Amino acid sequence: MQTSKIRDLFLDYFSSKDHLIMPSFSLIPQNDPSLLLIGAGMAPLKPFFTGEKKPPHPRVATCQKCVRTPDIERVGHTGRHATFFEMLGNFSFGDYFKEGAIEWAWDLVLNGYRMPEDRLWVSIYHEDDEAFKIWNEMVGVPSGRIKRMGKEDNFWEIGLGPCGPCSEIYYDMGEEAGCGSPDCTVGCDCDRYLEIWNLVFTQFSREASGELVELEQKNIDTGAGLERLAMAMQGVYSFYETDQVKPLYKYFEEIAEPGRRDQIVPLRIVTEHSRGTTFLVADGVIPSNEGRGYVLRRLLRRAVRFGKLLGIEGDFMTDAASLVVDTMGSAYPELKERHDYIRQIIELEERKFQETLAQGMDILEGYIDKLKQEGERTLPGEWAFKLYDTYGFPLDLTAEILQEEGFAIDRESFEQSLRDQQTRARAASQSVSGTDETVRYRAAEPLSTVFTGYETIEQEAKLILALVDGETREEVRENEKVEVLLDQTPFYAEAGGQIGDTGWIEGPQGRIEVENTVFSPWGQIIHQGVVIEGALLKEEAVTARVDGGRRRAVCRSHTSTHILHRALRNNLGEHINQAGSLVAPDRLRFDFNHFSAITPDQLLAVEEEVNRMVLANIAVEASLTTLEEAKELGATAIFTEKYEDESVRMVSTGNYTRELCGGTHVSETGQIGLFKIVTEEGIGSGLRRIEAVAGMGAYRQTVEREKLIKGIAASLNTSESRLEQKFNEHLTEHKALQKTVQELKQRLASYEVKSLLSEVKEVEGVKVLSAKVSADSFESLRMVMDEVKNNLDSGVIVLGAVGDGKVIMVGAVTPDLVKRGIEAHKIIKEVARRVGGGGGGKPDLAQAGGKNTAALPEALDSVEPLVREQLKSGGIA
Ligand code: ATP
Ligand code: MG
């Protein structure tokens, strides 16, 4: 049975059992800061399990795309572990329980998928006699086929809260798939007993006291790996051989160097990682050094490295992505929709990493030379680690290159470096614990806060929670920094790039100034601020008032952002997608993908288009609709938009642009007034950033410019209309003046030199010149010296000057006199001593400095006797 058929059959089966079929959620979790990526079918349904949200139906079934990075090291080494896979699941929110879940799972496996009964095994939690009974007595699984397993394997629990026993279905892949060990049975780590389906019975709640309390609303959460079902049904030992994955494996096998096509593990790794990278990019993840972006980067780079091991050249991951789109695009339309974009992002990251690898190769060659020189045969582990850590060289790759030249690696010290780094990383990640907020706002978790800020900016409300430093308070007083929750509020909490509202909350006896508004990890709206007057009590009636001027400015920025997005697409191409944004009252920032520089003309065209839309005064409307309908209308879904609600909020600016957006907007574009781009720049990775201003911000910017221009015109003593001409005149004049100054300087120097030459004296037939000149640096002093030397074919010259309160001196002796034993550095040293300094150089040229400026004339006078002395003795001792 084909993979797509297995998927359809699962969903059809549960649909016939009255389950609502929901499409796969994005890999990016919504409103769940505790999760990096969705790793199970139940993860995006969490609010329905906890009761925080009412599910659209008490029974739901999905086929969910999942990413599990903890399994990365197993990829390739087992045939059943992927970092990206699809999980089929049926869920009950307080509806059916163990009986229904077990009965249907067994029915589907036996009668739907027609798996041979003698291949199937089940496991249960060792204390779960209820499950045993259902398996054994109700559905008729022989007791010998039911394995009781411990807490480790068959009890699902994360921290406090809902938990429960689970029960798994295993498929025996046959002896030939196994490890051969006599102990090999269900639960063995090898590929023989394949866990295909896990049924979790969420039955208890783990209390803080450690006690297990039976839940009133019991839930069912099941997960069946689609790739694993396909393995079983297609009779293959790894998912790489199933119909959906095989084309990818084949592709890599074909482009690998012929001699390396038998390297199964690297081939599996590149195959597997190409799926995850494609899906992550499709869901809006962009390679980076942290969070989800890092997961993506790690998968992609790992694939490129293993590709190298296979001798594959070029942008092979980019083409692999297209193959993923081809094979999976009909089940996941987002792949087809974003095909070009996916290719662009992957190609860019792939090329960048190829360059890093090339740099690493140079380093490695350097290491090899060094080893050769020193006669060593083993590369120190620390060096191999540096290649691994900085240049992404896997140890195997380094080992292979070294081996070709007959070298080895000290693997032990490599492992040690790796361990050291892991320890450091662990310490670092603990110090930035992501659970801070979940602790700080724990008291908010059960509460509900309703947002009324689309309709109003002022709201009567009840203060339902007050926190000071994360502690619940009955009363908050003047000067305290507080965080408060209201049952309903017009304050917009920071989200989707739009910053949080500010304003005031007023009670009967006090007032809070709200400085920011944010979401709690569970989606409650939290007002952060200071009590500026009196006191406020919990349960008190209050009035919440948003700072209207600021909010209106934010709305102008936000609507401008939507128009800018559309205008960029119209002018640069439909590939433009938002990669990030900031919507603030005084400015807006818009990051997007584009792979070449934007010309000034293009930018101007974009700015003009936005302003034309502003002047057209188009109505901006928000409506609730379904995702399907929004897509049909051509709405731009920012990647992280959720699919989970039946309704999504769509903001339309006439027919010009439609986006799924939760933000606040102006009602007509005319309210934006004016839009100005301030800067446009590349920010790496094929991303560009525009910063712009709207409304009063834009107005103020033009006023500032105008002031600047007026100021310049005034100081040039001209009118604005003649400014450019006047400025050009000044520029020409300035250049002419510069030229004149230069000429005069030169004339002055030769003048000075001429008068200097008249001071040359003769000492026993040798021409000696020692004089004070005007120069403020060694450089200009040397220039004078050069000029003098040009005019004197033989002689001893010492020039001194006072610059910056210090004495500077240069001395020179022509070559004929050096031969006669006169040395410039010796003379200058003596002279410098007399001005309280020192110097040095060579026989033909030397320089010196000193502090005693008053002694300069006297010091220069000593040159003559020094020359005489040197001539006499044939040198100074
Ligand atoms: P395993 O012990 O094999 O790693 P698991 O106990 O981690 O599996 P669950 O968390 O119970 O698995 O996930 C539910 C189902 O999802 C499993 O029964 C299996 O079919 C599938 N599954 C889990 N992890 C992977 C993976 N890395 N690759 C492919 N399928 C997986
Ligand atoms: Mg696992």
Side-chain angles (χ1 to χ4, degrees):
M1 194 183 283
Q2 300 267 301
T3 303
S4 60
K5 184 80 203 300
I6 300 173
R7 190 193 292 120
D8 291 346
L9 193 64
F10 185 96
L11 298 175
D12 288 347
Y13 180 83
F14 283 101
S15 175
S16 78
K17 304 291 179 205
D18 191 30
H19 286 63
L20 171 73
I21 310 304
M22 295 178 84
S24 174
F25 294 82
S26 167
L27 282 167
I28 301 178
Q30 304 298 315
N31 297 327
D32 191 346
S34 65
L35 271 187
L36 199 57
L37 290 162
I38 296 297
M42 70 80 68
L45 303 170
K46 239 165 45 186
F48 303 145
F49 282 112
T50 58
E52 183 197 319
K53 271 196 184 162
K54 196 173 151 7
H57 195 73
R59 302 175 180 183
V60 164
T62 60
C63 177
Q64 175 66 45
K65 38 191 179 182
C66 295
V67 167
R68 279 196 184 179
T69 38
D71 285 341
I72 195 164
E73 299 298 339
R74 310 191 73 179
V75 169
H77 299 281
T78 78
R80 64 189 199 280
H81 284 98
T83 56
F84 172 86
F85 61 97
E86 295 173 74
M87 194 187 288
L88 296 161
N90 55 296
F91 309 94
S92 151
F93 311 112
D95 194 60
Y96 63 87
F97 198 51
K98 275 183 211 180
E99 273 185 20
I102 293 178
E103 203 187 320
W104 287 332
W106 196 247
D107 181 35
L108 177 58
V109 162
L110 279 191
N111 305 317
Y113 292 138
R114 304 204 165 278
M115 292 190 187
E117 201 166 348
D118 60 359
R119 292 252 180 179
L120 295 169
W121 293 70
V122 300
S123 72
I124 57 167
Y125 177 54
H126 64 98
E127 289 175 1
D128 195 355
D129 293 329
E130 190 186 354
F132 181 85
K133 250 186 154 155
I134 300 170
W135 279 118
N136 188 235
E137 290 171 18
M138 243 183 88
V139 303
V141 177
S143 58
R145 285 284 172 118
I146 306 174
K147 290 257 169 192
R148 286 179 187 258
M149 307 236 255
K151 203 154 177 260
E152 263 313 72
D153 297 302
N154 280 43
F155 195 90
W156 180 84
E157 177 166 25
I158 29 169
L160 300 183
C163 58
C166 44
S167 179
E168 298 152 328
I169 303 178
Y170 285 84
Y171 187 89
D172 181 359
M173 297 297 285
E175 224 181 309
E176 61 281 20
C179 55
S181 150
D183 304 332
C184 181
T185 177
V186 169
C188 178
D189 214 29
C190 74
D191 274 341
R192 175 166 178 183
Y193 294 96
L194 182 69
E195 179 193 325
I196 51 173
W197 201 342
N198 187 4
L199 317 176
V200 182
F201 313 127
T202 320
Q203 185 170 2
F204 305 109
S205 174
R206 174 75 68 187
E207 299 298 296
S209 61
E211 206 181 345
L212 279 183
V213 176
E214 191 98 14
L215 282 174
E216 213 158 282
Q217 179 196 310
K218 293 182 183 130
N219 299 318
I220 288 293
D221 149 30
T222 87
L226 176 59
E227 291 79 359
R228 293 194 184 175
L229 288 176
M231 284 166 69
M233 313 252 328
Q234 295 171 15
V236 292
Y237 298 136
S238 80
F239 71 86
Y240 302 96
E241 296 154 76
T242 60
D243 65 309
Q244 198 175 250
V245 187
K246 200 170 178 176
L248 264 176
Y249 188 89
K250 278 229 150 343
Y251 158 79
F252 284 110
E253 201 176 34
E254 270 162 30
I255 59 173
E257 228 170 63
R260 307 187 185 204
R261 291 185 182 149
D262 56 348
Q263 298 202 12
I264 291 172
V265 173
L267 277 171
R268 282 178 166 184
I269 289 173
V270 286
T271 302
E272 202 285 320
H273 290 1
S274 67
R275 300 210 309 159
T277 29
T278 309
F279 272 86
L280 283 169
V281 175
D283 273 353
V285 180
I286 286 177
S288 77
N289 281 335
E290 54 187 29
R292 298 174 190 112
Y294 182 66
V295 172
L296 170 59
R297 175 163 280 172
R298 179 157 174 230
L299 289 177
L300 187 61
R301 293 189 164 191
R302 203 161 176 262
V304 171
R305 284 163 13 191
F306 280 96
K308 272 252 153 3
L309 267 170
L310 293 163
I312 304 176
E313 299 294 333
D315 306 328
F316 61 93
M317 287 298 284
T318 311
D319 291 336
S322 290
L323 204 53
V324 175
V325 176
D326 284 351
T327 49
M328 299 186 76
S330 44
Y332 297 92
E334 65 271 25
L335 295 180
K336 282 191 192 155
E337 279 163 28
R338 304 199 194 283
H339 190 173
D340 288 343
Y341 171 77
I342 295 169
R343 281 189 66 98
Q344 282 174 346
I345 295 285
I346 292 183
E347 182 179 307
L348 206 80
E349 177 71 6
E350 186 171 20
R351 292 207 173 148
K352 211 161 77 181
F353 186 56
Q354 299 272 18
E355 278 167 28
T356 311
L357 279 180
Q359 282 171 12
M361 266 316 289
D362 288 345
I363 305 254
L364 180 54
E365 275 158 19
Y367 287 167
I368 291 175
D369 285 346
K370 211 160 164 188
L371 291 179
K372 280 181 184 160
Q373 272 169 22
E374 290 168 6
E376 295 284 344
R377 312 283 343 140
T378 311
L379 186 83
E382 296 80 16
W383 298 8
F385 180 75
K386 185 170 166 138
L387 280 171
Y388 165 84
D389 194 39
T390 315
Y391 299 97
F393 270 53
L395 192 63
D396 289 348
L397 184 64
T398 310
E400 200 184 68
I401 297 166
L402 285 172
Q403 208 175 5
E404 283 166 12
E405 305 244 11
F407 295 97
I409 296 182
D410 180 352
R411 285 180 184 258
E412 209 161 286
S413 58
F414 175 86
E415 296 294 337
Q416 187 55 46
S417 302
L418 190 65
R419 277 195 296 273
D420 289 349
Q421 193 218 34
Q422 282 165 346
T423 315
R424 281 195 302 274
R426 223 171 289 130
S429 77
Q430 268 162 7
S431 63
V432 292
S433 140
T435 60
D436 274 6
E437 286 205 338
T438 45
V439 174
R440 182 180 182 86
Y441 298 130
R442 176 104 291 163
E445 192 179 351
L447 303 176
S448 130
T449 59
V450 176
F451 177 61
T452 60
Y454 291 135
E455 297 87 31
T456 179
I457 56 168
E458 193 169 321
Q459 175 73 51
E460 302 298 322
K462 191 164 85 179
L463 198 160
I464 55 173
L465 182 68
L467 298 169
V468 175
D469 284 333
E471 279 186 26
T472 308
R473 286 290 194 79
E474 292 301 312
E475 181 183 3
V476 289
R477 297 173 166 280
E478 200 162 320
N479 293 329
E480 277 186 313
K481 262 183 102 72
V482 296
E483 293 179 299
V484 299
L485 271 68
L486 308 180
D487 61 342
Q488 38 185 349
T489 175
F491 281 76
Y492 182 86
E494 183 174 340
Q498 179 175 333
I499 67 171
D501 274 333
T502 63
W504 303 268
I505 295 172
E506 288 160 356
Q509 317 150 55
R511 217 150 97 100
I512 295 171
E513 183 165 318
V514 178
E515 293 161 345
N516 194 15
T517 310
V518 297
F519 277 118
S520 78
W522 308 277
Q524 289 85 3
I525 298 169
I526 299 177
H527 310 81
Q528 300 174 323
V530 177
V531 182
I532 50 167
E533 219 181 283
L536 290 95
L537 299 176
K538 199 176 152 193
E539 302 298 324
E540 211 166 52
V542 295
T543 305
R545 212 148 39 78
V546 172
D547 180 341
R550 181 175 179 278
R551 160 70 85 79
R552 281 187 291 276
V554 170
C555 290
R556 283 194 283 266
S557 289
H558 205 153
T559 309
S560 302
T561 307
H562 286 206
I563 301 177
L564 172 64
H565 191 176
R566 184 71 251 167
L568 282 167
R569 284 190 166 195
N570 289 352
N571 285 278
L572 304 176
E574 287 295 324
H575 64 279
I576 301 276
N577 269 306
Q578 173 171 341
S581 81
L582 171 76
V583 176
D586 52 343
R587 68 207 162 101
L588 63 98
R589 192 171 71 210
F590 188 76
D591 296 346
F592 56 100
N593 60 304
H594 186 58
F595 299 90
S596 50
I598 297 176
T599 66
D601 282 347
Q602 283 173 326
L603 203 61
L604 214 58
V606 169
E607 189 181 84
E608 191 181 310
E609 181 165 329
V610 175
N611 280 298
R612 264 193 277 117
M613 291 307 135
V614 169
L615 294 181
N617 199 24
I618 307 164
V620 183
E621 276 156 1
S623 59
L624 292 179
T625 173
T626 61
L627 188 71
E628 283 311 305
E629 202 178 337
K631 277 193 174 166
E632 257 161 48
L633 287 167
T636 321
I638 303 307
F639 291 111
T640 53
E641 215 55 55
K642 50 186 154 185
Y643 297 29
E644 85 187 56
D645 292 324
E646 281 122 81
S647 61
V648 292
R649 186 170 187 264
M650 182 173 73
V651 175
S652 321
T653 306
N655 285 323
Y656 180 68
T657 175
R658 292 194 172 87
E659 284 193 23
L660 298 187
C661 174
T664 63
H665 289 269
V666 299
S667 47
E668 286 105 23
T669 58
Q671 290 167 11
I672 292 169
L674 178 63
F675 173 84
K676 286 294 294 172
I677 292 175
V678 182
T679 58
E680 187 280 326
E681 61 184 345
I683 51 170
S685 286
L687 289 179
R688 306 202 66 85
R689 167 171 293 174
I690 283 183
E691 297 207 326
V693 283
M696 282 309 276
Y699 170 72
R700 260 181 237 119
Q701 204 207 10
T702 27
V703 169
E704 287 304 319
R705 293 259 154 106
E706 207 174 343
K707 262 197 208 157
L708 186 71
I709 290 169
K710 279 211 164 81
I712 296 171
S715 51
L716 287 180
N717 214 357
T718 187
S719 65
E720 274 172 60
S721 57
R722 291 198 62 243
L723 185 60
E724 198 176 350
Q725 191 195 339
K726 185 85 176 183
F727 179 73
N728 284 332
E729 282 168 18
H730 270 273
L731 212 60
T732 318
E733 200 180 316
H734 178 79
K735 277 183 192 147
L737 283 175
Q738 255 181 340
K739 213 172 143 204
T740 317
V741 167
Q742 201 53 38
E743 281 168 10
L744 285 175
K745 266 190 181 164
Q746 259 162 21
R747 279 200 3 222
L748 207 65
S750 57
Y751 231 75
E752 197 172 7
V753 168
K754 266 195 198 118
S755 73
L756 272 178
L757 289 173
S758 67
E759 291 177 32
V760 173
K761 296 192 182 116
E762 293 242 351
V763 177
E764 304 189 13
V766 170
K767 287 181 179 145
V768 176
L769 170 62
S770 67
K772 187 178 167 192
V773 299
S774 51
D776 51 10
S777 65
F778 275 112
E779 200 190 346
S780 49
L781 194 58
R782 273 195 302 268
M783 257 161 63
V784 183
M785 174 64 88
D786 287 343
E787 195 68 29
V788 173
K789 280 206 290 192
N790 285 342
N791 286 284
L792 209 66
D793 19 289
S794 170
V796 176
I797 313 145
V798 175
L799 300 176
V802 175
D804 216 5
K806 275 182 261 162
V807 175
I808 50 176
M809 284 188 292
V810 219
V813 175
T814 51
D816 55 317
L817 298 174
V818 172
K819 277 189 198 133
R820 289 180 57 189
I822 308 178
E823 292 173 307
H825 61 295
K826 290 189 177 159
I827 295 177
I828 206 108
K829 205 171 149 196
E830 274 302 305
V831 182
R833 204 171 47 77
R834 285 163 219 250
V835 290
K842 284 183 279 183
D844 61 333
L845 191 66
Q847 67 181 42
K851 284 175 276 199
N852 190 351
T853 52
L856 181 59
E858 194 195 320
L860 287 170
D861 285 344
S862 70
V863 173
E864 223 183 285
L866 282 168
V867 172
R868 205 183 299 277
E869 207 176 299
Q870 280 201 0
L871 279 171
K872 229 187 272 169
S873 64
I876 304 172

